[in-house]
Amino acid sequence: MKLAILSLLAGAAAAFAPAQQGASTSALSASFENEVGVQVPTGFFDPLNLLEGADQARFDRLRYVELKHGRIAQLAFLGQIVTRNGIHLGGSIDTAGHAFSSYPNGLAALFGPDAIPTAGIFQMLAFIGFLELKVMKDVKGTGEFPGDFRNGFLDFGWGSQSDEWKKSKRSIELNNGRAAMMGILGLMVHEKLGSVVPIVGQL
């Protein structure tokens, strides 16, 4: 759990793109102040100085990591809300006939006496690894920006939109991902505390 929390925190801080004060702002950092994600009220936000002396390639790498963590966190947060409201996949999770709903929600599904069997967890990790290595990437090298995984297939009219519209949508995704990273981290903490959270319910 500690590793998951640290990963979420690192992803959240990696490329938040408060304006730098005084003459300490480097020319390289200044070049990132107009990147997508630099928004009021924080402006260019790099509290861990991860972009100190960084070039564009370094920024793009950190932005890619931030987007990935944000997308995962959005799915995780949504999964918490859905499953804790009694909505599960139908059918059996294994050949023994155990239903998806027979396993607990949240961290208890991975750790504890009623957790998903180790073999099942390895299957999930293998599937995630396959997606990471073969699917969720810029396979054709034609992405317009870090995290662009359309690969000439899932466009949804993106190419016909204005640059202003695209920037707005990319900013929305970044903000939603940042909020979700903090949200799922909060749910993990409250689950360990045994709290009751609005909408989500008893953790």
Side-chain angles (χ1 to χ4, degrees):
M1 178 176 177
K2 291 180 179 179
L3 178 61
I5 292 174
L6 289 174
S7 297
L8 286 170
L9 287 175
F16 273 44
Q20 300 282 6
Q21 302 296 321
S24 62
T25 301
S26 68
L28 283 171
S29 294
S31 68
F32 302 132
E33 292 182 356
N34 294 320
E35 291 282 353
V36 172
V38 181
Q39 302 173 40
V40 295
T42 57
F44 181 84
F45 189 57
D46 182 24
L48 300 181
N49 294 320
L50 297 176
L51 292 174
E52 187 69 30
D55 56 12
Q56 187 65 45
R58 170 68 173 166
F59 177 88
D60 289 345
R61 171 60 184 168
L62 293 176
R63 173 49 51 81
Y64 169 76
V65 171
E66 181 186 17
L67 274 169
K68 181 197 294 185
H69 288 180
R71 289 167 178 173
I72 293 171
Q74 289 177 77
L75 290 172
F77 192 88
L78 181 61
Q80 283 272 12
I81 294 175
V82 170
T83 56
R84 290 186 183 280
N85 277 278
I87 303 173
H88 299 85
L89 292 174
S92 301
I93 196 173
D94 57 21
T95 56
H98 295 105
F100 285 92
S101 58
S102 66
Y103 292 97
N105 301 310
L107 291 172
L110 301 176
F111 310 102
D114 300 320
I116 297 171
T118 303
I121 293 178
F122 276 126
Q123 288 178 37
M124 289 189 291
L125 291 176
F127 179 65
I128 292 170
F130 169 75
L131 292 178
E132 175 76 12
L133 296 174
K134 298 295 185 179
V135 180
M136 304 305 292
K137 59 187 297 184
D138 183 11
V139 177
K140 297 184 177 181
T142 57
E144 292 182 12
F145 51 87
D148 180 2
F149 300 151
R150 290 174 295 154
N151 293 307
F153 178 61
L154 298 174
D155 187 79
F156 298 111
W158 178 270
S160 63
Q161 301 296 334
S162 66
D163 290 341
E164 182 178 358
W165 184 91
K166 292 179 180 179
K167 183 176 181 179
S168 173
K169 294 301 181 182
R170 290 177 60 196
S171 298
I172 290 171
E173 181 185 20
L174 276 171
N175 281 338
N176 287 347
R178 292 165 178 173
M181 283 188 273
M182 296 298 100
I184 191 61
L185 178 61
L187 288 180
M188 292 165 67
V189 171
H190 281 287
E191 181 175 348
K192 300 303 291 184
L193 295 175
S195 305
V196 177
V197 179
I199 300 177
V200 179
Q202 177 68 50
L203 295 174

